[in-house]
Amino acid sequence: MYNFIIYIYYLGVIIASLFNEKVRKMWRGEREAIRILKEKVDPNAKYVWFHAASLGEFEQGRPLMEQLRRDHPEYKILLTFFSPSGYEVRKNYEGADIICYLPLDTITNARRFLRTIRPVMAFFIKYEFWYNYLHILSHRGVPVYSVSSIFRPGQVFFRWYGHQYSHVLKCFTRFYVQNEVSRELLAKIGITDVTVVGDTRFDRVLQIKEAAKQLPVVEAFVGDTPKVFVAGSSWPPDEDIFISFFNEHPDWKLIIAPHVIGEDHLQQIEKLLTGRKVIRYSEAEKYSLNSHLSPLTSHDVLIIDCFGLLSSIYRYADVTYVGGGFGVGIHNTLEAAVWDVPVIFGPNNERFQEAQGLKACGGGLEIHNADDFQRIMQHFISEPVAIKEAGRQSGLFVEQMTGATRKILSDVKL
């Protein structure tokens, strides 16, 4: 049944590629993967294979790849992606020796791929459970590890109709899961080679913090202002809430880094900002930053209209907001929390363990509407010490949850 579904999906991808650029890139990349491998594989090298579905999973696997590279240079690293949103962003990542798409999980593709690369071990990040690849790896005796994986009762493996597919989990040598619930669920279906280590994303955000950039434009904009609010990865429902509040509180400087950077969206944000002096980052870069008299100091809203700065911008915040919680789910709260600042987010966060942890410790604050946001901000304004305490709890939470990378690599037989 699985292989039948895969071939139906395969046909769907071919058809969709005629109309969708993202699907076309994936389809083209999958077809070129074997050629790339044949050109680049060193037949005398020992390859460790890391597979990440997309960019988020890559960030979880990155600390492992980089630590492995430092401690065991005798191995080469193959990195594969399923989604263009991962591959297109990280196709030039210097931490891997070969980077390509993973061909769709047909028996033929899996055999050709593994025959070409012959990995000595494989790491699948979080939710990756490709039936044919995993069965062939298991048949060949190649150790396979699932890292930063997390399981929930509603997943197919734990439903009556998913019994047959759940056998794929027995192909893994060991699971390194995020929490005790995952370990217990796996035990109920006979999977006991499981270790609870937490999430490697905590290690990654510490790396990001250590590598954070100094941003002269942001520093000039912030100046000596004691009240700075940073909204990261925001969507229109988020912006409707916090912008209306700060229009009434001009003593706060506001930095907005929207998730979608398109002219229509940027103009929409600017229209919401009534009575505020707004400047975009691309425009602000033109000013001289050598003087405290820079025109930037007279602006009170900075809109980030470029990518790659957000994780460094959080350092300038007193209070942060992470968007997405009024849509499909919140974005990366840890990149903000690691800077010892409170993190506010919308209600769609139940699937995100880090958000639950932040809420439990008091560093993360959930809102459902504008009234909730106003209540939290008024509390912070009237009790500045509450900002410091919530921020302290955020940073402490991240610090206490680090160490998954070390635990995994100390356990894996390299």
Side-chain angles (χ1 to χ4, degrees):
M1 177 61 72
Y2 175 86
N3 287 315
F4 175 75
I5 293 172
I6 283 292
Y7 279 109
I8 293 298
Y9 177 80
Y10 198 46
L11 179 61
V13 168
I14 294 172
I15 295 172
S17 68
L18 300 174
F19 308 99
N20 185 290
E21 177 62 23
K22 182 177 179 180
V23 176
R24 187 157 50 249
K25 285 181 178 179
M26 182 180 72
W27 169 235
R28 188 183 304 122
E30 289 180 359
R31 287 185 296 164
E32 293 177 350
I34 299 299
R35 177 186 60 78
I36 291 172
L37 291 177
K38 287 182 176 179
E39 290 178 358
K40 296 186 175 183
V41 164
D42 178 352
N44 299 312
K46 295 185 292 184
Y47 283 91
V48 177
W49 172 25
F50 286 84
H51 176 64
S54 191
L55 190 58
E57 289 79 10
F58 163 78
E59 290 296 331
Q60 287 177 291
R62 183 170 179 169
L64 288 165
M65 285 185 276
E66 295 181 354
Q67 191 66 49
L68 179 68
R69 203 172 185 83
R70 285 192 294 270
D71 296 347
H72 295 276
E74 68 271 22
Y75 293 113
K76 288 184 178 292
I77 292 176
L78 165 68
L79 170 63
T80 60
F81 289 98
F82 181 74
S83 169
S85 58
Y87 176 80
E88 295 299 328
V89 175
R90 294 301 181 190
K91 59 186 176 183
N92 296 317
Y93 171 59
E94 294 182 354
D97 297 281
I98 304 175
I99 303 172
C100 65
Y101 281 92
L102 181 67
L104 200 62
D105 188 29
T106 66
I107 294 175
T108 299
N109 282 347
R111 285 174 175 167
R112 291 175 63 206
F113 181 91
L114 294 172
R115 189 184 304 122
T116 304
I117 192 67
R118 298 185 181 279
V120 295
M121 69 184 72
F123 291 84
F124 282 51
I125 313 300
K126 200 172 183 177
Y127 290 133
E128 294 301 278
F129 308 107
W130 295 109
Y131 190 91
N132 291 313
Y133 283 103
L134 287 168
H135 274 87
I136 295 172
L137 286 167
S138 177
H139 179 72
R140 295 183 178 184
V142 178
V144 186
Y145 305 100
S146 176
V147 299
S148 290
S149 44
I150 187 166
F151 293 90
R152 300 179 180 85
Q155 286 174 297
V156 63
F157 311 112
F158 314 110
R159 299 297 186 101
W160 64 268
Y161 53 81
H163 177 73
Q164 186 68 30
Y165 182 59
S166 68
H167 291 169
V168 72
L169 301 180
K170 296 181 180 179
C171 295
F172 285 94
T173 306
R174 179 162 288 275
F175 288 86
Y176 295 99
V177 299
Q178 293 189 31
N179 57 25
E180 184 65 24
V181 171
S182 298
R183 189 195 66 77
E184 292 172 356
L185 284 169
L186 289 171
K188 288 180 179 179
I189 58 172
I191 307 295
T192 57
D193 290 322
V194 182
T195 304
V196 179
V197 298
D199 190 345
T200 52
R201 278 185 302 172
F202 289 92
D203 300 328
R204 176 59 187 148
V205 293
L206 280 184
Q207 289 181 338
I208 293 171
K209 181 180 181 181
E210 292 168 1
K213 308 169 186 175
Q214 294 292 127
L215 300 174
V217 168
V218 179
E219 290 174 1
F221 166 77
V222 170
D224 299 325
T225 304
K227 299 177 180 179
V228 179
F229 182 89
V230 174
S233 302
S234 62
W235 293 82
D238 306 303
E239 293 146 8
D240 288 340
I241 289 175
F242 66 75
I243 288 177
S244 64
F245 178 85
F246 287 108
N247 281 341
E248 303 298 324
H249 294 79
D251 53 327
W252 281 74
K253 285 207 169 187
L254 180 57
I255 301 175
I256 306 173
H259 184 74
V260 176
I261 300 176
E263 187 59 31
D264 289 345
H265 189 197
L266 296 176
Q267 289 184 15
Q268 181 182 355
I269 293 172
E270 290 167 342
K271 288 178 182 178
L272 291 173
L273 291 159
T274 57
R276 306 302 298 265
K277 193 170 182 182
V278 183
I279 189 169
R280 297 185 186 184
Y281 189 90
S282 58
E283 181 184 356
E285 285 185 299
K286 301 173 185 176
Y287 288 125
S288 171
L289 305 176
N290 298 324
S291 170
H292 289 297
L293 300 178
S294 165
L296 283 178
T297 59
S298 66
H299 291 79
D300 48 22
V301 180
L302 176 64
I303 298 177
I304 309 302
D305 56 349
C306 56
F307 293 106
L309 302 181
L310 180 57
S311 60
S312 296
I313 288 173
Y314 282 129
R315 74 192 303 168
Y316 302 103
D318 294 285
V319 180
T320 64
Y321 182 98
V322 174
F326 290 92
V328 296
I330 55 172
H331 295 287
N332 194 334
T333 54
L334 297 181
E335 286 187 352
V338 74
W339 291 105
D340 303 325
V341 291
V343 188
I344 303 172
F345 42 78
N348 192 354
N349 60 70
E350 62 277 2
R351 294 182 294 106
F352 301 85
Q353 182 172 276
E354 67 279 10
Q356 304 309 307
L358 284 169
K359 287 196 296 182
C361 75
L365 302 109
E366 177 183 303
I367 64 168
H368 292 81
N369 49 48
D371 289 341
D372 288 347
F373 183 80
Q374 181 169 350
R375 175 179 50 79
I376 290 170
M377 288 304 304
Q378 291 290 8
H379 175 62
F380 282 157
I381 291 170
S382 62
E383 300 285 345
V385 68
I387 296 178
K388 296 295 183 183
E389 177 57 21
R392 188 182 74 83
Q393 292 297 335
S394 285
L396 186 60
F397 170 71
V398 175
E399 182 180 340
Q400 290 175 339
M401 296 297 288
T402 57
T405 299
R406 174 183 51 78
K407 293 174 185 176
I408 292 169
L409 292 181
S410 65
D411 190 60
V412 168
K413 295 180 181 179
L414 296 165

